Amino acid sequence: MQSKDAGDLGQVAETLLLDAALENIPYGFCVWSPQFRLLMWNKNYRDFYGFSRDAIHRGMTLEDVVHLSHRLGNHPGQRADAFYEHYSSELLSNRSGARAKSQEIVSGGRIIETAHVYSPQLGWVVTHEDITDEIARSESQQKRKLELERQNIRLDAAVNNISIGLCMMDAMGRLVICNEPYARIYNLPMALLKPGTQLEDILAHLFDMGMSGGGTREEYITWRRELIARREYGKNVHELNGRTIMMQHHPMKDGGWVSTHEDITEQRQAEARIQHLARHDALTDLPNRIEFLETMAKTEAAFQRGEMAAVLYIDLDHFKAVNDTLGHAVGDEVIKQAAVRLWGTTRETDLLARLGGDEFALLLRPIDSVDAAARVADRIVRAMRAPMNIGGQQVEIGASVGIAVGPGDGITTDQLVKNADLALYKAKSEGRSNYHFFEAGMDADLQQRRSIEAGLRLAMQRNELRLMYQPLLGLKENRVTCVEALLRWDHDDRTISPVEFIPVAEETGLIVPIGEWVLHEACRVAAGWPEDVRIAVNLSPVQFRSKDLVAQVRAALSDARLDPKRLELEITESLLLTDSEATIRALHDLRAMGVRISMDDFGTGYSSLSYLRSFPFDKIKIDRSFMRDLTARADSQAIIRAVIGLGQSLGMMTTAEGVETEEQLAMVRAEGVSEVQGFLFSPPLPPGSIGGLLHSGAARAQVRKKAS
């Protein structure tokens, strides 16, 4: 008998709740069937749209109601049929069970916010709230919006059509009603879902099942009871079987309350992931610049205690060439493999970060001496020298490292980071693939470099660039067979050496427009020379990254009306480091035009005989460094003999650079070199002088005499 009374009590409570939701809630309410027929509504709904009591009836179509509403002055500025088409489409597109909101303007300029949710059993349950005053008053809007959401939760509980768990308790702490998501979230047995179940019984079961609410069972129940007594809104996040549940307590005027329960496990995981991504690099998952600098700032206190720490700035050598020639996918893989190698050089107490692009930073803490930083830097350089195998393709890069050690090189994050960056620049300027400690005076070097960069950007506009021309003598022909164009820059009352400005031009990309100007100017000048004299122009590897290089060469030849066979382009071995198909294709395209291709500075840097197999060069130029020791060192003689012999066997011409004495000339002539170039014959000459030399019979005879 008691069980039956409890069941009747629950049914009565549910009926009362639904009636209260329909007639006593402070907003409009209606239900549209799946066939767009009006099923239920309340007085507030009629009042909002100005419908009289007998103007609408059960079963009335949505289209008829819309036309009636339009005739009463609602939805100004919209045709009735257009509004019906839009609103019906909006309802049809929301049948997933989610709540969708929109706003309408009714007669008198009032703004009504509607919220509709679809239930397969009922159709669309729609609430209507006048939010005009809320929009005008921001603070009031937030309060009314919260109240509307609470009222909507009660309505949803009545129709059991929300995705979050919900239960309603009366003032005695007894269960009035709960929905299926609530039971599913907590895996509650049927015995605890019956109306009249005490809150303490449900909580006891949950704690027995492993729920953790941030404290003991008693502490949680006490907090909940105090919240109920104060009739205040409250929120708690607790754990249950590996899931994170957020509970919100909403008091009601009669002393009861509604609580919502939402599984926010995925949300918390997503938030944690977002926080991780905000402080870590997406490609390598290493800490990023933000994390690195904040950790650096925490290290500053250690300097006050006399501890030492080192900052290493690391830059990947030749990475831009790899990225530009092999593509960003290969570049990304290079970055990931580099991160793994760098991480392998660190200790547990160190922090490795990717700052962006091909730049990394390493914080060594603590260290007992500067030698410790040097050892790590050496490991980094050696680790990065090994070739990488990416998709079956071998890629060779390297790493340059700048080191600043605190407190000697600075006691603040800004000082150490700046000084490590200056040391990195020094390491790169000294040939890359090495490391360098910060030294006083490096800042001045950087300022000089920036001054050069700023000047270069205006050099072409100010006509500060010019070409000088140095002849090459063909020993077999006993005459000048080729002339090399050499770039000079006159700036601030001095001539800046190419050794100073060419690396800056390459790093900034300015070498591309400068190189194009050199091509056009050299071809123009050479067009006025005897037809049996070629012009040689140096190309930077950076120029080959431009897809327009072949077109630029063709345009320079066309503008100057110069036979392509008279143009000789000189490249260095570093261009072939990445073995790029695009580079080899460009070289073949140039050669197909008739242009000759020479390998400059052979025997230095990354020399490899495999480069001579990758492309059929027309000429090999022996670097001048071997000439200086030619008469004194047997190994230099052996190298020159081998290179000349190699060229002869491959059908390539050979040129000896830096010939300055008769003895050097005699030795390379005896080995069979094709051409010689150097101050023994002529220094670089301006355009007028080289033209006069080439056209002067007497001068050419004098050259022949010296060559013989």
Side-chain angles (χ1 to χ4, degrees):
M1 184 68 178
Q2 186 177 3
S3 174
K4 181 180 178 182
D5 291 342
D8 292 342
L9 176 62
Q11 292 178 357
V12 171
E14 289 185 41
T15 301
L16 291 175
L17 175 64
L18 184 57
D19 290 342
L22 291 176
E23 291 300 329
N24 297 325
I25 55 178
Y27 52 84
F29 169 84
C30 69
V31 176
W32 295 101
S33 74
Q35 294 77 33
F36 293 147
R37 296 282 183 173
L38 185 61
L39 299 180
M40 290 184 284
W41 65 92
N42 67 356
K43 181 177 181 299
N44 281 332
Y45 171 72
R46 289 189 290 102
D47 292 345
F48 281 151
Y49 293 96
F51 299 147
S52 62
R53 177 182 292 274
D54 57 355
I56 57 176
H57 56 82
R58 181 180 174 82
M60 191 172 183
T61 66
L62 173 63
E63 186 173 11
D64 289 342
V65 173
V66 168
H67 280 274
L68 172 62
S69 177
H70 189 268
R71 289 194 298 273
L72 293 174
N74 299 313
H75 317 121
Q78 290 181 280
R79 301 194 318 275
D81 54 351
F83 180 83
Y84 170 74
E85 184 70 23
H86 171 76
Y87 189 68
S88 60
S89 298
E90 186 178 276
L91 292 178
L92 288 172
S93 65
N94 183 39
R95 288 183 287 188
S96 64
R99 178 182 291 110
K101 293 183 179 181
S102 61
Q103 293 182 0
E104 301 175 10
I105 299 178
V106 297
S107 177
R110 307 295 290 179
I111 300 174
I112 304 299
E113 181 179 77
T114 67
H116 57 83
V117 64
Y118 182 77
S119 169
Q121 292 78 18
L122 293 177
W124 288 276
V125 178
V126 188
T127 59
H128 303 72
E129 172 74 5
D130 188 336
I131 61 171
T132 308
D133 295 336
E134 294 179 69
I135 293 176
R137 299 187 300 274
S138 176
E139 182 177 354
S140 175
Q141 177 190 13
Q142 293 301 319
K143 182 178 179 180
R144 290 175 64 83
K145 185 177 180 181
L146 178 60
E147 183 60 27
L148 176 62
E149 289 176 351
R150 292 175 180 171
Q151 294 289 355
N152 283 337
I153 288 175
R154 296 177 185 178
L155 179 61
D156 287 342
V159 296
N160 197 28
N161 194 36
I162 58 174
S163 61
I164 62 176
L166 180 145
C167 75
M168 179 177 290
M169 295 281 182
D170 64 17
M172 303 298 293
R174 297 171 299 190
L175 180 65
V176 176
I177 190 172
C178 67
N179 66 355
E180 189 275 335
Y182 173 77
R184 185 179 65 250
I185 288 174
Y186 294 111
N187 194 25
L188 293 172
M190 290 300 298
L192 294 178
L193 299 178
K194 296 178 180 179
T197 303
Q198 289 290 332
L199 172 64
E200 280 82 354
D201 295 337
I202 296 176
L203 293 179
H205 171 79
L206 295 180
F207 275 102
D208 289 341
M209 295 298 295
M211 187 179 84
S212 171
T216 65
R217 175 188 305 196
E218 291 72 20
E219 288 173 342
Y220 179 82
I221 294 176
T222 299
W223 169 79
R224 192 75 183 273
R225 276 300 180 192
E226 290 177 351
L227 195 67
I228 295 169
R230 293 196 301 268
R231 297 185 181 182
E232 293 179 352
Y233 166 80
K235 181 169 64 174
N236 176 268
V237 175
H238 50 264
E239 303 289 331
L240 178 63
N241 298 328
R243 309 296 292 177
T244 303
I245 313 297
M246 180 174 70
M247 187 282 296
Q248 297 188 70
H249 176 95
H250 304 273
M252 296 190 300
K253 293 180 180 179
D254 62 359
W257 69 89
V258 173
S259 63
T260 59
H261 306 257
E262 183 177 3
D263 188 333
I264 60 171
T265 307
E266 285 75 18
Q267 177 185 333
R268 286 294 177 91
Q269 291 172 346
E271 290 172 353
R273 180 61 180 163
I274 291 172
Q275 292 176 356
H276 180 84
L277 289 175
R279 309 180 74 83
H280 288 77
D281 173 54
L283 183 62
T284 64
D285 205 38
L286 291 174
N288 60 13
R289 183 185 296 272
I290 295 173
E291 179 73 7
F292 182 79
L293 293 178
E294 288 188 5
T295 304
M296 276 286 301
K298 297 175 183 176
T299 307
E300 294 177 5
F303 297 141
Q304 307 299 328
R305 299 191 298 268
E307 297 180 11
M308 293 178 63
V311 177
L312 279 64
Y313 259 37
I314 307 158
D315 189 83
L316 302 186
D317 300 328
H318 314 296
F319 175 75
K320 192 173 190 306
V322 172
N323 214 24
D324 291 345
T325 56
L326 301 183
H328 292 289
V330 174
D332 286 349
E333 189 61 33
V334 168
I335 290 294
K336 288 192 282 188
Q337 290 195 23
V340 172
R341 292 187 183 184
L342 292 172
W343 184 82
T345 67
T346 65
R347 307 167 301 176
E348 291 185 4
T349 57
D350 301 332
L351 177 68
L352 175 66
R354 183 188 178 205
L355 304 183
D358 61 344
E359 295 181 353
F360 295 82
L362 177 60
L363 173 61
L364 301 178
R365 51 171 187 178
I367 58 174
D368 52 10
S369 67
V370 295
D371 291 341
R375 288 193 296 271
V376 173
D378 184 63
R379 288 202 300 269
I380 290 172
V381 171
R382 285 189 284 108
M384 299 307 299
R385 279 177 182 159
M388 295 180 179
N389 190 306
I390 299 177
Q393 187 166 9
Q394 204 173 64
V395 177
E396 296 183 11
I397 57 171
S400 300
V401 184
I403 310 170
V405 180
D409 296 333
I411 59 174
T412 67
T413 297
D414 290 343
Q415 287 175 323
L416 288 171
V417 166
K418 175 185 175 183
N419 291 341
D421 196 26
L422 290 172
L424 172 62
Y425 173 73
K426 184 67 173 179
K428 292 168 64 176
S429 68
E430 291 184 349
R432 303 176 185 264
S433 288
N434 57 23
Y435 64 89
H436 205 291
F437 281 92
F438 170 75
E439 297 172 356
M442 284 185 173
D443 197 22
D445 294 339
L446 181 60
Q447 295 301 325
Q448 174 65 15
R449 189 259 188 207
R450 289 174 176 166
S451 175
I452 289 176
E453 179 182 341
L456 269 180
R457 295 188 182 278
L458 299 173
M460 292 179 64
Q461 298 178 21
R462 296 174 175 174
N463 295 319
E464 295 178 344
L465 299 176
R466 59 185 173 88
L467 293 181
M468 298 288 283
Y469 301 88
Q470 188 172 31
L472 284 71
L473 273 68
L475 296 184
K476 180 179 178 181
E477 297 86 352
N478 273 336
R479 64 173 177 83
V480 175
T481 53
C482 184
V483 176
E484 182 178 3
L486 301 171
L487 183 61
R488 299 291 184 265
W489 179 26
D490 299 320
H491 180 66
D492 287 345
D493 299 325
R494 73 183 183 100
T495 299
I496 301 178
S497 168
V499 176
E500 291 186 62
F501 73 82
I502 290 297
V504 177
E506 289 180 326
E507 289 178 19
T508 58
L510 292 171
I511 194 67
V512 174
I514 291 175
E516 185 176 5
W517 176 84
V518 170
L519 271 171
H520 280 265
E521 181 66 11
C523 290
R524 182 188 67 80
V525 173
W529 298 343
E531 294 185 357
D532 57 357
V533 179
R534 302 185 304 276
I535 177 69
V537 177
N538 291 277
L539 290 183
S540 163
V542 179
Q543 291 175 265
F544 276 84
R545 299 173 199 160
S546 169
K547 298 179 180 179
D548 301 329
L549 177 62
V550 176
Q552 291 174 6
V553 173
R554 185 179 287 111
L557 292 169
S558 176
D559 292 348
R561 297 183 179 180
L562 185 71
D563 187 343
K565 295 179 181 178
R566 294 182 58 197
L567 176 60
E568 199 169 278
L569 298 177
E570 298 184 2
I571 67 172
T572 60
E573 297 159 284
S574 61
L575 173 65
L576 304 175
L577 270 176
T578 58
D579 193 26
S580 164
E581 292 182 7
T583 298
I584 299 299
R585 185 167 56 251
L587 290 172
H588 279 290
D589 290 345
L590 291 169
R591 205 160 187 262
M593 292 166 50
V595 175
R596 296 166 59 86
I597 307 296
S598 301
M599 179 177 282
D600 196 12
D601 300 336
F602 186 79
T604 62
Y606 299 92
S607 293
S608 171
L609 297 181
S610 63
Y611 297 148
L612 298 180
R613 296 175 54 194
S614 64
F615 184 80
F617 291 92
D618 296 286
K619 180 193 293 185
I620 302 172
K621 298 189 73 175
I622 306 170
D623 188 68
R624 67 182 65 249
S625 61
F626 297 106
M627 275 307 123
R628 288 194 293 267
D629 302 324
L630 180 62
T631 59
R633 294 182 55 171
D635 55 352
S636 292
Q637 298 172 17
I639 291 173
I640 288 180
R641 183 181 303 113
V643 174
I644 294 174
L646 180 64
Q648 291 172 342
S649 64
L650 294 176
M652 301 177 184
M653 294 179 60
T654 52
T655 299
E657 298 179 305
V659 177
E660 298 181 356
T661 67
E662 296 286 354
E663 189 176 3
Q664 291 172 339
L665 173 61
M667 294 184 72
V668 295
R669 181 196 292 276
E671 297 297 341
V673 76
S674 307
E675 293 176 332
V676 291
Q677 178 183 4
F679 277 75
L680 177 62
F681 311 102
S682 173
L685 301 172
S689 299
I690 191 67
L693 173 65
L694 296 176
H695 286 289
S696 170
R700 298 185 77 180
Q702 182 178 359
V703 167
R704 285 197 296 269
K705 179 179 178 181
K706 185 168 291 188
S708 61

